[in-house]
């Protein structure tokens, strides 16, 4: 092969999660659930080390699966996510809210995809870049995060990403 080329790879994951949107002006203010689909797209040069078990791969899909399981699925799957503004109304004591995830932000699909990007980026090999995430909340609705949309974006705390 002549010149190395950057390649995109994508893996799809599914999880079930409930949430409620604090102060929402519709039905989403109530606790409700979704069957989420998460697509993780990486960008990188395939490893060129003949004889290496990962030769020719940007990242082994099994390795990506392990990272996403640890950083996202183990946290989100079969959980209830609510804003800390609603947390006082629920108890985590062993009952049905044992997998309660209280977050300091509105648990919208958009904010979830930003949270997922923040969890995955530091866990990837140095030669691999998190290029994009697509989080499907329903069969017809999703939020996307793209790395190239993030340069110079000012966060709520005034810091640039």
């Amino acid at each position: 092969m002549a010149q190395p080329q950057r390649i995109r790879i994508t893996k799809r994951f599914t999880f079930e999660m409930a949430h409620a949107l604090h102060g929402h002006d519709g039905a989403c203010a109530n606790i409700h659930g979704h069957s989420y689909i998460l697509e993780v797209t990486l960008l990188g040069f395939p490893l060129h080390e003949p004889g290496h078990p990962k030769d020719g791969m940007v990242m082994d899909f099994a390795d990506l699966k392990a990272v996403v399981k640890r950083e996202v699925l183990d946290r989100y799957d079969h959980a209830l996510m609510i804003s800390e503004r609603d947390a006082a109304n629920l108890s985590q004591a062993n009952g049905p809210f044992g997998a309660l995830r209280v977050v300091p932000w509105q648990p919208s699909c958009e904010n979830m995809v930003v949270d997922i990007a923040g969890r995955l980026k530091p866990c990837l090999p140095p030669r691999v870049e998190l290029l994009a995430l697509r989080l499907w909340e329903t069969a017809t609705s999703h939020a996307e995060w793209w790395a190239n949309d993030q340069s110079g974006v000012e966060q709520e705390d005034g810091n640039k990403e």
Side-chain angles (χ1 to χ4, degrees):
M1 200 178 295
Q3 181 121 0
Q5 297 187 21
R6 293 190 341 155
I7 302 294
R8 292 180 177 103
I9 63 169
T10 300
K11 184 153 181 65
R12 181 178 287 178
F13 303 88
T14 60
F15 62 93
E16 309 296 325
M17 195 189 83
H19 67 161
L21 300 180
H22 179 83
H24 188 266
D25 59 357
C28 292
N30 300 312
I31 294 173
H32 63 286
H34 297 285
S35 295
Y36 288 91
I37 298 171
L38 173 65
E39 296 175 355
V40 178
T41 301
L42 306 179
L43 177 66
F45 291 98
L47 184 65
H48 180 68
E49 290 185 26
H52 190 284
K54 310 294 184 187
D55 184 41
M57 298 180 183
V58 171
M59 183 174 184
D60 188 324
F61 286 117
D63 294 341
L64 176 57
K65 180 180 178 180
V67 168
V68 173
K69 181 184 180 315
R70 183 183 70 238
E71 298 298 325
V72 180
L73 303 181
D74 287 350
R75 175 177 173 74
Y76 284 3
D77 192 31
H78 285 82
L80 167 61
M81 183 180 286
I82 60 169
S83 166
E84 61 190 8
R85 293 175 285 185
D86 287 327
N89 299 327
L90 298 174
S91 169
Q92 277 187 279
N94 294 329
F97 303 117
L100 181 63
R101 304 294 178 247
V102 178
V103 293
W105 33 267
Q106 180 78 301
S108 65
C109 190
E110 295 87 340
N111 285 335
M112 287 173 59
V113 81
V114 169
D115 182 63
I116 292 168
R119 292 175 183 285
L120 294 180
K121 285 191 298 186
C123 299
L124 298 174
R127 61 183 183 78
V128 176
E129 174 186 343
L130 180 62
L131 179 66
L133 296 171
R134 182 175 287 164
L135 182 62
W136 292 88
E137 186 171 86
T138 69
T140 61
S141 305
H142 71 270
E144 292 182 351
W145 177 96
W146 286 83
N148 60 356
D149 292 343
Q150 307 310 312
S151 61
V153 173
E154 192 164 312
Q155 303 298 301
E156 285 184 25
D157 61 6
N159 295 324
K160 288 195 176 191
E161 190 173 81

